[in-house]
């Protein structure tokens, strides 16, 4: 028996992607829906035949309206019951009620009393049971499966529903004329009794372990009526709208089919047999679609595409029936509607509900499935009463109404796909700090009050944030808070506050600012000079001359720097103050090792602002100073000088991590001209670190030439350079999406990276299989192979990261990076939502290649089953080594050559000899050592 089950698991795994540990769960779910639909497909033909035989086709619209009324009552009672009982208890009670009622109706039919209002009650119960039992089952499926499992397995589980339809329909077709329809009602009661233990088993094995979570969900679900929840959600509203329109269309189609059928068949048993035959035939077609098309359609083209097939399948025959109102056209219409509704469309509709939180789903799904379905049934009845009884139009003209409804259906299907995608996007997107991204509305009194409160009592970081937001404002309400900040203990706040007060033209605080010239911090002294130069109505020349000879060298330095800033574009003032002579004497003085760093920094900044090119060599000297603060001052000075000769020296400094941000800010001052210098480095330099770091600068340049250069960096071949270039391209696309990021070339790069990933994965699997535990500290082979395996694992992670950065160039970078973070999450729900978002985002070509790789990438241990699902061949050890050595990864090559060296196996000698003369010195050395060890 165990052998049979294992063989069955393998067969199901190959055919339907049922993975290890899922077989029992899936088969139980499939058996459950098979039995439910079998009952439905026995009851529906019987109810339809008895009703039409007794009341005629013109009574159907009234029956539809009554179904809607009783569905409303059922939905109200159901919503009241939901907070008080578990889902299992509700399903059990539903089965028991319907079992007892079927026995009662069977007994009445047996004695000939199933007539008049009792027949109406029977018809209504069958209609309600069909929607309620199916709805409860799919809620149970949503509890038992997650979104990724559901997407793989809905097709197979749904095949059980269709098989039940086939079995039930044909059983009715054959048995009704022989045994009578009354006896089939008792059979339905027995079948429902079998559903009870199946449901109990599913709950006990797969739901009960999460009982605490479900209780929390139940408590949450008791607060709001389902209608309000649906109305507040665009996603739920569209699902309800699609269901409503599809049900109305279905009732119109059903009426056309029934009208033409009842005109042809006058005997009730013959009519029941006809309905049973065609219901089963529809389900055979539906089963074939479900088994061989649904998974491919939904998996390859997405949920959105699957929702279009049913309305299009109805639209074409409805146009035809306007021209040829014959029974065979009605059969074609009904077959299209019935087969697609239970296969592709059913999977699409159920998948639409997956991103909805479980507590919301529990409250709304049954309401939608029962009340909305039945309300739409009533609307369909009203339309038929108006068209057939009041307007007395021919049956074929109902197609005009149907066609209009189908157009509305197609519109909503298009809209709901966007909402479905957005649901997963919101689940994996990173929160945005809106406070930092939005501008401050200074016209709002409450905003102004809040800002003043921050300036007077906020933390240092809050005050600095507000001061930066208040640039170039002269609102008088801020004067007093800003003046009080001039005494703040944080020198950056003092300098920023003075910088804001600079813009208040009528303000006179010169006396207070003069005292700040003696401040111990450079930033404050310089801000004070800038303020006084702008606001002094007295002799500015006298003010500057006084402080240029101040006894405090810090004050003199700050005055000199302020003079350089003030006279940059004024040659006359430069000559008047002898700025060149002062700078020359200052440079001479700082050559003394005893000179203070503050003086050196102020002088360097003064040189940068002065515009005197003869002093620029001094700045070049100090760019690589050992004192970081002096080097930073030289970098800032070079940025102010904006001389092209500084570009290459500054770019060379990018490799120094501690100076990187200051260098990038400085190079930003040079504008687009810096890109040509970067191109020169990329084309002429061999230093990979230097080439790699220019990507950080290019990502700040909103020019197409920057994008082109970054793509050129990707082609350089170094893995770290490629990764940095891709990160920078994603940053560029986020900031400047109007640039061309070469989507076709990007797709080629993605496919190449995916192939590289597959190769690395197969080599890793093969090397893991060869790994052995270390026998001793001297076990060189185990050490060498473990090192190779560790390196391959890191390379696999790098492959995956590069794939996602490349995807960011084709799609939205924030979306892709959120997905990448989500799939690495340890939280199952975040991971599942991220995978589903990616699955719906990718086009069919990339989805087919990438989705299996992404799902395999997240397995802790790559199993043989996972490799088989990828349909890739595991290479021999020789092929593994050959593959790595033919690649571009230097570290992997060295690891393989080292492993060959310690293996000392003669069959690897040709591989070692091949790389003895490699242009890379390290690889050549390792190859020689490996060859020597083998010959040893």
């Amino acid at each position: 028996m165990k052998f049979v089950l294992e063989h069955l698991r393998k067969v199901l795994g190959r055919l339907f992607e049922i993975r290890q540990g899922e077989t029992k769960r899936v088969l139980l779910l499939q058996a459950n829906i098979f039995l439910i639909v079998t009952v439905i497909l026995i009851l529906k033909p019987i109810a339809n035949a008895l009703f039409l035989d007794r009341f005629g086709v013109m009574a159907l619209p009234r029956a539809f309206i009554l179904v809607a009324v009783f569905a409303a009552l059922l939905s109200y009672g159901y919503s009241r019951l939901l907070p008080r009982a578990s889902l299992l208890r509700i399903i059990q009670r539903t089965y028991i009620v319907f079992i007892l009622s079927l026995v009662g109706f069977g007994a009445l039919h047996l004695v000939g009393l199933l007539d008049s209002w009792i027949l109406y009650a029977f018809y209504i119960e069958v209609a309600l049971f069909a929607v309620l039992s199916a709805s409860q089952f799919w809620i149970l499926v949503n509890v038992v499966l997650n979104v990724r499992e559901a997407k793989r397995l809905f097709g197979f589980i749904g095949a059980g529903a269709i098989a039940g339809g086939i079995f039930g329909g044909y059983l009715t077709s054959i048995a009704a004329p022989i045994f009578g329809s009354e006896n089939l009602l008792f059979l339905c009661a027995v079948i429902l009794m079998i559903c009870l233990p199946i449901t109990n088993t599913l709950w006990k094995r797969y739901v009960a372990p999460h009982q605490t979570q479900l209780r929390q969900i139940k408590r949450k679900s008791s607060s709001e009526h389902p209608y309000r929840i649906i109305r507040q959600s665009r996603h739920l509203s569209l699902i309800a709208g699609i269901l409503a329109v599809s049900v109305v269309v279905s009732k119109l189609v059903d009426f056309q089919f029934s009208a033409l059928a009842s005109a042809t068949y006058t005997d009730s048993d013959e009519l029941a047999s006809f309905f049973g035959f065609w219901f089963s035939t529809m389900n055979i077609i539906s089963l074939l679609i479900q088994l061989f098309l649904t998974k491919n359609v939904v998996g390859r083209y997405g949920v959105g595409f699957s929702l279009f097939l049913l309305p299009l399948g109805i639209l074409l025959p409805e146009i035809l029936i306007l021209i040829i109102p014959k029974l065979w056209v009605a059969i074609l219409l009904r077959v299209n509607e019935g087969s697609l509704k239970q296969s592709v469309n059913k999977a699409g509709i159920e998948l639409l509900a997956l991103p909805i939180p479980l507590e919301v789903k529990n409250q709304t799904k049954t309401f939608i499935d029962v009340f909305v379905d039945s309300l739409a049934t009533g609307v369909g009845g009203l339309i038929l009463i108006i068209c057939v009884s009041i307007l007395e139009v021919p049956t074929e003209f109902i197609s005009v109404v149907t066609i209009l409804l189908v157009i509305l259906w197609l519109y909503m299907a298009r809209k709901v796909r966007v909402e479905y995608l957005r649901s997963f996007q919101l689940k994996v997107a990173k929160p945005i700090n809106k406070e930092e991204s939005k501008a401050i509305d200074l016209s709002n009194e409450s905003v102004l009050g809040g800002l003043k409160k921050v300036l007077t009592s906020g933390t240092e970081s809050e005050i600095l944030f507000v001061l930066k937001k208040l640039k170039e404002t002269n609102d008088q309400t801020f004067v007093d808070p800003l003046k009080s900040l001039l005494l703040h203990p944080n020198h950056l706040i003092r300098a920023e506050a003075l910088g804001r007060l600079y813009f208040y033209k009528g303000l006179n605080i010169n006396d207070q600012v003069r005292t700040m010239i003696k401040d111990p911090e450079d930033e404050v002294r310089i801000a004070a000079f800038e303020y006084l130069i702008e606001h002094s109505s007295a002799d500015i020349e006298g003010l500057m001359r006084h402080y240029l000879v101040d006894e405090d060298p810090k004050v003199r330095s700050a005055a000199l720097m302020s003079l350089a800033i003030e006279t940059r574009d004024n040659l006359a003032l430069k000559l008047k103050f002898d700025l060149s002579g002062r700078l020359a004497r200052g440079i001479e003085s700082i050559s003394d090792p005893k000179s203070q760093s503050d003086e050196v920094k102020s002088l360097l900044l003064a040189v940068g602002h002065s515009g005197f090119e003869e002093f620029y060599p001094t700045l070049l000297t100090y760019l690589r100073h050992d004192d970081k603060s002096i080097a930073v001052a030289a970098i800032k000075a070079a940025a102010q000088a904006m001389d092209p000769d500084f570009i290459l020296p500054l770019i060379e400094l990018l490799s120094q991590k501690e100076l990187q941000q200051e260098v990038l800010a400085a190079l930003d001052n040079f504008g687009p001209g810096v890109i040509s210098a970067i191109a020169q480095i990329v084309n002429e330099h061999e230093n990979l670190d230097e080439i790699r770091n220019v990507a950080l600068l290019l990502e700040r340049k909103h020019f197409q030439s920057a994008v082109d250069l970054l793509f050129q960096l990707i082609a350089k071949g170094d893995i770290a350079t490629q990764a940095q270039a891709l990160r920078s391209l994603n940053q560029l696309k986020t900031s400047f999406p109007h640039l061309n990021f070469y989507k076709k070339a990007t797709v080629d790069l993605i496919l190449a990276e995916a192939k590289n990933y597959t190769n690395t994965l197969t080599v890793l699997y093969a090397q893991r299989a060869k790994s052995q535990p270390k026998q001793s500290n001297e076990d060189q082979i185990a050490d060498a192979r473990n090192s190779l395996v560790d390196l391959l694992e890191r390379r696999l992670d790098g492959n995956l990261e590069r794939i996602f950065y490349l995807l960011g160039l084709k799609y939205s970078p924030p979306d892709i990076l959120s997905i990448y973070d989500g799939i690495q999450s340890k939280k199952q729900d975040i991971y599942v939502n991220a995978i589903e978002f990616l699955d719906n985002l990718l086009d069919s070509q990339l989805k087919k290649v990438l989705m299996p790789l992404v799902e395999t990438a997240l397995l802790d241990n790559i199993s043989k089953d996972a490799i088989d699902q990828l349909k890739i061949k595991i290479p021999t050890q020789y092929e593994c080594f050959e593959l790595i050595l033919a690649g571009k990864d230097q570290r992997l090559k060295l690891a393989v050559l080292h492993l060959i060296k310690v293996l000392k196996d003669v069959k690897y000698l040709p591989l070692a000899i091949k790389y003895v003369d490699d242009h890379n010195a390290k690889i050549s050395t390792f190859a020689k050592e490996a060859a020597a060890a083998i010959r040893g």
Side-chain angles (χ1 to χ4, degrees):
M1 185 66 182
K2 187 176 181 182
F3 171 78
V4 173
L5 289 174
E6 182 62 23
H7 183 69
L8 177 63
R9 186 192 70 77
K10 289 181 179 179
V11 170
L12 293 176
R14 283 197 300 269
L15 293 177
F16 305 109
E17 285 192 64
I18 299 173
R19 296 174 183 172
Q20 195 163 5
E22 295 176 344
T23 309
K24 288 182 182 178
R25 186 172 22 154
V26 172
L27 290 177
L28 283 170
L29 287 168
Q30 192 186 63
N32 199 358
I33 192 63
F34 171 85
L35 295 174
I36 290 170
V37 177
T38 294
V39 169
I40 293 170
L41 263 291
I42 292 172
L43 293 175
K44 268 196 169 183
I46 294 172
N48 284 353
L50 290 173
F51 188 89
L52 290 172
D53 182 59
R54 174 65 179 82
F55 300 110
V57 73
M58 300 306 293
L60 275 178
R62 288 194 298 274
F64 292 164
I65 294 171
L66 284 172
V67 168
V69 171
F70 280 95
L73 296 174
L74 177 64
S75 296
Y76 175 76
Y78 196 90
S79 64
R80 296 294 300 272
L81 179 63
L82 188 63
R84 298 184 177 90
S86 70
L87 177 62
L88 176 64
R89 186 66 57 84
I90 293 172
I91 294 174
Q92 288 172 333
R93 290 179 182 178
T94 302
Y95 284 144
I96 291 167
V97 168
F98 278 110
I99 288 167
L100 294 175
S101 62
L102 284 174
V103 172
F105 282 123
L108 290 172
H109 190 17
L110 201 61
V111 297
L113 295 177
L114 191 61
D115 197 7
S116 188
W117 65 270
I118 300 176
L119 187 53
Y120 264 98
F122 176 60
Y123 183 90
I124 293 167
E125 179 179 286
V126 170
L128 294 179
F129 173 75
V131 291
L132 182 58
S133 58
S135 176
Q136 289 178 340
F137 170 78
W138 289 110
I139 291 176
L140 181 63
V141 171
N142 275 269
V143 175
V144 173
L145 304 177
N146 66 41
V147 64
R148 295 303 298 164
E149 292 169 339
K151 199 162 188 178
R152 275 189 296 106
L153 303 173
F154 266 7
F156 185 72
I157 294 169
I162 298 166
I166 295 169
F167 178 73
Y170 280 134
L171 179 63
T172 308
S173 178
I174 296 168
I178 300 171
F179 301 106
S181 53
E182 64 276 10
N183 292 311
L184 294 182
L185 298 184
F186 297 114
L187 175 63
C188 289
V190 172
I191 294 172
L192 285 182
M193 290 174 69
I194 301 171
C195 290
L196 276 168
I198 294 176
T199 303
N200 292 339
T201 302
L202 281 166
W203 190 272
K204 182 179 178 181
R205 289 189 181 180
Y206 307 109
V207 181
H210 309 289
Q211 190 66 44
T212 302
Q213 180 186 356
L214 290 171
R215 285 198 187 108
Q216 290 172 354
I217 289 168
K218 191 177 76 175
R219 283 198 295 269
K220 290 178 187 174
S221 67
S222 60
S223 58
E224 203 166 3
H225 192 275
Y227 170 73
R228 294 193 188 93
I229 299 172
I230 294 167
R231 192 178 62 182
Q232 292 165 6
S233 167
R234 183 174 172 81
H235 188 175
L236 284 169
S237 298
L238 284 167
I239 292 175
I242 287 174
L243 179 66
V245 172
S246 68
V247 169
V248 173
V249 168
S250 179
K251 294 308 170 187
L252 298 182
V253 168
D254 193 36
F255 178 84
Q256 290 175 296
F257 178 66
S258 297
L260 291 168
S262 60
T264 306
Y265 298 94
T266 55
D267 181 74
S268 64
D269 285 337
E270 286 183 0
L271 191 58
S273 178
F274 171 82
F275 284 144
F277 173 80
W278 279 109
F279 285 163
S280 293
T281 303
M282 283 187 288
N283 280 288
I284 288 176
I285 298 169
S286 188
L287 179 62
L288 294 173
I289 293 171
Q290 186 79 343
L291 291 175
F292 301 107
L293 287 179
T294 297
K295 181 181 172 297
N296 289 329
V297 169
V298 176
R300 188 166 186 176
Y301 300 105
V303 174
F305 179 80
S306 66
L307 296 175
F308 284 96
L309 293 181
L310 176 57
L312 290 175
I314 294 171
L315 184 63
L316 298 177
E318 284 288 6
I319 294 171
L320 187 61
I321 212 169
L322 280 171
I323 305 167
I324 312 171
K326 301 291 184 181
L327 179 59
W328 69 267
V329 182
I331 292 172
L332 175 65
L333 172 63
R334 189 70 177 88
V335 167
N336 277 6
E337 190 263 346
S339 58
L340 290 171
K341 180 168 73 174
Q342 295 303 326
S343 54
V344 177
N345 191 72
K346 182 66 176 177
I349 289 293
E350 294 302 330
L351 284 168
L352 280 179
L354 285 172
I356 300 166
L358 186 57
E359 64 273 16
V360 175
K361 202 179 303 179
N362 277 347
Q363 287 177 270
T364 58
K365 181 165 175 55
T366 302
F367 181 84
I368 291 173
D369 288 345
V370 177
F371 178 71
V372 175
D373 184 294
S374 303
L375 179 65
T377 300
V379 171
L382 283 173
I383 291 172
L384 289 171
I385 288 173
I386 293 169
C387 291
V388 178
S389 299
I390 299 174
L391 299 179
E392 297 183 352
V393 298
T395 303
E396 60 268 23
F397 280 96
I398 294 171
S399 295
V400 176
V401 180
T402 307
I403 289 168
L404 294 175
L405 288 170
V406 167
I407 293 169
L408 175 61
W409 185 350
L410 290 168
Y411 170 79
M412 287 192 292
R414 180 173 171 272
K415 290 291 183 183
V416 81
R417 181 195 177 276
V418 176
E419 288 301 314
Y420 177 77
L421 196 62
R422 183 170 170 270
S423 296
F424 289 108
Q425 182 183 28
L426 292 174
K427 284 176 181 288
V428 300
K430 293 179 180 177
I432 298 171
N433 189 335
K434 295 181 180 179
E435 293 301 319
E436 292 189 8
S437 62
K438 66 181 182 181
I440 293 177
D441 181 12
L442 295 176
S443 64
N444 189 313
E445 288 296 329
S446 62
V447 172
L448 290 174
L451 294 178
K452 284 188 283 187
K453 186 176 180 180
V454 171
L455 293 177
T456 54
S457 59
T459 64
E460 290 184 357
S461 59
E462 290 171 341
I463 293 171
L464 283 169
F465 174 77
V466 171
L467 287 172
K468 285 179 169 59
K469 288 288 186 180
L470 292 177
K471 281 185 176 179
E472 299 187 22
T473 183
N474 55 3
D475 193 306
Q476 294 299 318
T477 60
F478 291 106
V479 170
D480 289 337
L482 288 172
K483 284 169 65 177
S484 67
L485 291 176
L486 296 180
L487 302 174
H488 198 280
N490 186 312
H491 70 281
L492 295 176
I493 290 177
R494 295 198 299 273
E496 285 287 346
L498 195 50
R500 302 294 78 76
L501 288 167
Y502 177 94
F503 295 100
Y504 290 83
K505 301 298 183 184
L507 186 65
N508 186 359
I509 54 170
N510 291 11
D511 291 340
Q512 184 180 357
V513 175
R514 281 193 186 93
T515 64
M516 298 176 74
I517 286 175
K518 300 288 186 177
D519 194 280
E521 300 294 338
D522 275 347
E523 291 90 343
V524 181
R525 293 195 298 270
I526 293 166
F529 272 112
E530 289 177 355
Y531 183 91
L532 290 173
I533 290 170
E534 177 68 21
H535 290 268
S536 290
S537 55
D539 182 15
I540 297 175
E541 183 179 338
L543 176 77
M544 293 303 300
R545 289 191 185 281
H546 172 74
Y547 287 112
L548 283 168
V549 294
D550 194 274
E551 60 183 17
D552 187 343
K554 292 182 178 179
V555 174
R556 292 198 305 270
S557 298
L560 182 62
M561 182 178 168
S562 298
L563 178 65
I565 294 170
E566 192 66 24
T567 62
R568 181 179 180 111
D569 299 315
N570 191 328
L571 182 59
L573 275 179
K574 285 180 180 178
L575 293 172
K576 190 171 187 178
F577 282 98
D578 186 24
L579 180 60
S580 177
R582 291 177 186 276
L583 291 174
R585 290 190 292 275
I587 290 170
E588 186 178 346
S589 69
I590 65 170
S591 61
D592 183 351
K594 295 181 182 178
S595 57
Q596 297 293 315
S597 65
D598 286 345
E599 297 174 52
V600 177
K601 289 186 283 186
S602 295
L603 184 68
L604 293 174
L605 290 167
V607 169
H609 283 286
S610 70
F612 287 124
E613 295 181 10
E614 60 268 29
F615 301 125
Y616 288 172
T618 301
L619 295 183
L620 287 172
T621 302
Y622 280 93
L623 283 175
R624 293 186 177 273
H625 199 276
D626 294 337
D627 187 329
K628 182 192 171 185
S629 64
I630 292 176
V632 168
I635 291 167
K636 290 179 178 178
Q640 294 302 321
M642 289 190 292
D643 190 296
D645 289 342
F646 286 114
I647 292 176
L648 285 177
L650 285 171
I651 289 174
E652 289 170 1
L653 288 176
L654 282 171
S655 58
Q656 298 187 27
K657 298 294 183 185
E658 67 275 11
L659 298 175
Q660 207 167 71
Q661 292 307 311
E662 287 79 7
V663 172
L664 289 171
L667 286 167
D668 283 342
N669 268 22
F670 289 87
V674 76
I675 296 179
S676 57
I678 296 173
Q680 182 182 341
I681 289 176
V682 171
N683 292 324
E684 297 177 4
H685 285 56
E686 292 297 327
N687 186 328
L688 291 175
D689 286 338
E690 205 168 90
I691 294 172
R692 187 179 308 130
N693 287 317
V694 299
L696 295 169
L697 180 57
L698 287 169
E699 73 183 42
R700 303 157 79 101
K701 304 297 177 185
H702 57 285
F703 303 103
Q704 187 60 44
S705 53
V707 175
D708 297 342
L709 261 178
L710 284 168
F711 270 98
Q712 194 175 334
L713 286 179
I714 293 174
K716 275 286 180 180
D718 173 65
I719 291 173
T721 302
Q722 290 176 352
Q724 184 55 62
L726 286 169
R727 283 191 286 268
S728 296
L729 279 167
N730 275 258
Q731 185 61 46
L732 256 177
K733 189 178 180 188
T734 302
S735 304
F736 312 108
H738 63 280
L739 298 174
N740 181 10
F741 290 87
Y742 305 109
K743 287 188 177 180
K744 186 178 183 304
T746 297
V747 170
D748 293 338
L749 287 171
I750 292 170
L751 296 175
E753 197 66 57
K755 183 178 180 182
N756 189 19
Y757 181 94
T758 304
N759 290 338
T760 306
L761 182 67
T762 57
V763 172
L764 175 60
Y765 181 81
Q767 292 307 305
R768 277 181 177 170
K770 288 279 186 181
S771 293
Q772 298 288 338
K774 283 184 67 174
Q775 302 298 322
S776 69
N777 291 333
E778 303 298 322
D779 194 342
Q780 293 182 329
I781 295 177
D783 282 338
R785 197 180 300 280
N786 290 338
S787 296
L788 177 59
V789 168
D790 290 344
L791 192 55
L792 284 166
E793 287 173 347
R794 291 199 294 274
R795 290 298 183 257
L796 206 61
D797 292 339
N799 277 141
L800 189 66
E801 183 182 39
R802 290 194 296 278
I803 286 172
F804 273 88
Y805 276 118
L806 283 165
L807 286 172
L809 303 183
K810 180 171 171 58
Y811 303 99
S812 163
D815 284 348
I816 292 296
L817 295 181
S818 293
I819 291 170
Y820 182 62
D821 289 340
I823 65 172
Q824 294 182 314
S825 172
K826 300 298 182 186
K827 296 182 178 179
Q828 180 71 7
D829 58 334
I830 295 176
Y831 156 73
V832 168
N833 288 322
I835 288 285
E836 183 62 15
F837 183 23
L838 178 66
D839 196 14
N840 283 277
L841 199 62
L842 297 178
D843 60 40
S844 57
Q845 179 191 15
L846 292 177
K847 184 186 298 187
K848 182 179 179 181
V849 174
L850 295 183
M851 289 309 298
L853 296 184
V854 172
E855 291 188 306
T856 304
L858 303 168
L859 298 175
D860 292 331
N861 292 303
I862 304 167
S863 64
K864 183 68 168 63
D865 283 351
I867 293 292
D868 290 342
Q869 285 173 9
L870 291 174
K871 298 176 182 177
I872 50 180
K873 176 180 172 287
I874 303 301
T876 64
Q877 181 155 252
Y878 189 96
E879 290 170 335
C880 288
F881 293 166
E882 193 174 36
L883 193 64
I884 292 173
L885 290 171
K888 297 180 180 180
D889 193 315
Q890 178 181 315
R891 290 189 65 189
L892 276 177
K893 287 182 178 183
L894 296 176
V896 164
L897 289 169
H898 177 63
L899 180 55
I900 289 174
K901 174 185 171 181
V902 297
L903 285 170
K904 299 179 183 179
D905 192 328
V906 70
K907 69 182 176 185
Y908 303 125
L909 182 60
L911 289 176
I913 292 172
K914 186 176 180 180
Y915 293 93
V916 163
D917 297 321
D918 195 271
H919 65 87
N920 185 299
K922 278 189 177 181
I923 291 173
S924 175
T925 301
F926 272 56
K928 288 174 184 175
E929 291 175 358
I934 293 170
R935 288 167 176 155

